[in-house]
Amino acid sequence: MKHQFPAAIKGDLIIARECLIEGPTQETDFDRFFKKRAEFIAKTYAETEENHLKKVKFEFQKILDIKENCEINLWFEHDLFCQVNFWFVSTLIAENPHLNKVFLVMPNKLSQFGFGGLSKTELIEAYKHRKSINNIQYFAALWRYYQNNDLEELKLAARNLQKEFPFLLPAVEAHIARIPHKNDPARPVKVILEIMNELKTEEFIPVFKEFGKRESIYGFGDLQVKTLVEKARKLR
């Protein structure tokens, strides 16, 4: 999105380069949190710890370094991938009580590709219809519940915010549904199995495309879906 961001919208850009829907999240200290994240990313993907810290931690540090009482616009989509990152960012903003002009910008039309499917004109229109966040602590609480795997409190918090932010509960329910239980591989893997059976193929690209259509609520990229496909293949 950085490359297509409209020049007409002025301000500094901070990029949330993380995939907090997977890997360790329980550490509370900022430095140790990203040390563990870097270790996980380096072990799981073709990335070094050094590069991850440089490209990822550095961006989030910018939020903590905000001194002046400036306006903050959070560009996040409805899917779980984006929402978890949004909740984490909220905890960083919440650390500075002077940051009270916070807005949420979301795509103003449904698209499998979220902001990526919008033109510059449509992005500007989404910005014009941004929603004020009066209490960032509500979203910071969602992160803490997610972080500690407190599913009951997570769902309750989403329900309490449902009237004003109806997109939260579907994302939370999708998160709960992706947790395996004994012989139940959970919703994403079961959907992958359904797709494989219907398309009569285990080939990644068609399965990935169809999963994106059916389960856009997850916002998974190709790396996440590859893991799901591998799990599904073992169950066939």
Side-chain angles (χ1 to χ4, degrees):
M1 186 180 170
K2 176 183 178 182
H3 302 292
Q4 69 185 79
F5 198 81
I9 301 176
K10 305 300 180 183
D12 296 324
L13 298 181
I14 299 176
I15 314 300
R17 290 194 182 99
E18 253 293 5
C19 54
L20 294 170
I21 52 163
E22 59 177 353
T25 60
Q26 291 188 319
E27 184 59 66
T28 55
D29 177 79
F30 184 82
D31 292 328
R32 289 198 298 269
F33 178 86
F34 279 105
K35 179 68 168 62
K36 288 190 175 182
R37 292 295 305 170
E39 290 171 354
F40 166 76
I41 294 296
K43 183 179 178 180
T44 309
Y45 301 116
E47 177 67 288
T48 66
E49 290 184 33
E50 183 181 11
N51 281 342
H52 184 75
L53 291 171
K54 182 179 179 181
K55 293 191 297 184
V56 177
K57 179 185 176 184
F58 176 74
E59 291 291 319
F60 289 108
Q61 182 66 51
K62 290 179 183 178
I63 301 174
L64 295 177
D65 291 341
I66 296 174
K67 304 299 181 186
E68 59 192 60
N69 183 21
C70 60
E71 179 182 290
I72 297 178
N73 294 285
L74 304 171
W75 294 70
F76 289 99
E77 298 166 19
H78 297 81
D79 60 83
L80 180 64
F81 189 113
C82 267
Q83 282 301 302
V84 174
N85 284 356
F86 165 42
W87 303 340
F88 175 71
V89 167
S90 298
T91 66
L92 304 182
I93 296 172
E95 289 192 25
N96 187 340
H98 298 295
L99 299 178
N100 50 28
K101 291 185 288 187
V102 183
F103 299 87
L104 178 61
V105 186
M106 305 191 95
N108 53 10
K109 73 174 185 180
L110 292 176
S111 167
Q112 179 185 346
F113 306 104
F115 285 125
L118 304 185
S119 66
K120 283 184 169 59
T121 300
E122 289 171 327
L123 289 172
I124 292 172
E125 194 63 25
Y127 173 75
K128 289 179 179 177
H129 289 87
R130 60 191 176 156
K131 187 175 184 61
S132 177
I133 295 179
N134 296 320
N135 194 336
I136 197 70
Q137 293 287 355
Y138 291 148
F139 297 96
L142 287 169
W143 168 256
R144 289 191 292 272
Y145 298 140
Y146 172 85
Q147 181 184 43
N148 296 318
N149 199 34
D150 193 339
L151 302 181
E152 288 186 10
E153 288 296 332
L154 180 63
K155 194 167 185 177
L156 178 60
R159 279 179 174 159
N160 290 338
L161 293 167
Q162 189 171 10
K163 185 175 181 180
E164 190 173 3
F165 301 99
F167 55 86
L168 288 172
L169 189 57
V172 167
E173 290 176 336
H175 169 57
I176 294 172
R178 75 185 177 121
I179 300 173
H181 296 283
K182 294 182 180 179
N183 296 325
D184 181 357
R187 171 174 158 183
V189 173
K190 287 192 284 190
V191 171
I192 292 288
L193 286 168
E194 289 173 5
I195 293 171
M196 287 178 172
N197 291 333
E198 290 176 22
L199 299 184
K200 295 181 173 56
T201 182
E202 293 185 2
E203 189 179 343
F204 176 71
I205 292 178
V207 172
F208 171 64
K209 288 182 177 179
E210 186 60 27
F211 183 85
K213 292 176 185 177
R214 297 188 190 186
E215 295 288 358
S216 59
I217 186 64
Y218 284 106
F220 289 158
D222 55 350
L223 296 176
Q224 286 80 45
V225 178
K226 278 182 180 178
T227 300
L228 296 174
V229 167
E230 289 171 5
K231 290 179 180 179
R233 284 171 178 162
K234 292 177 182 178
L235 294 173
R236 293 194 85 197

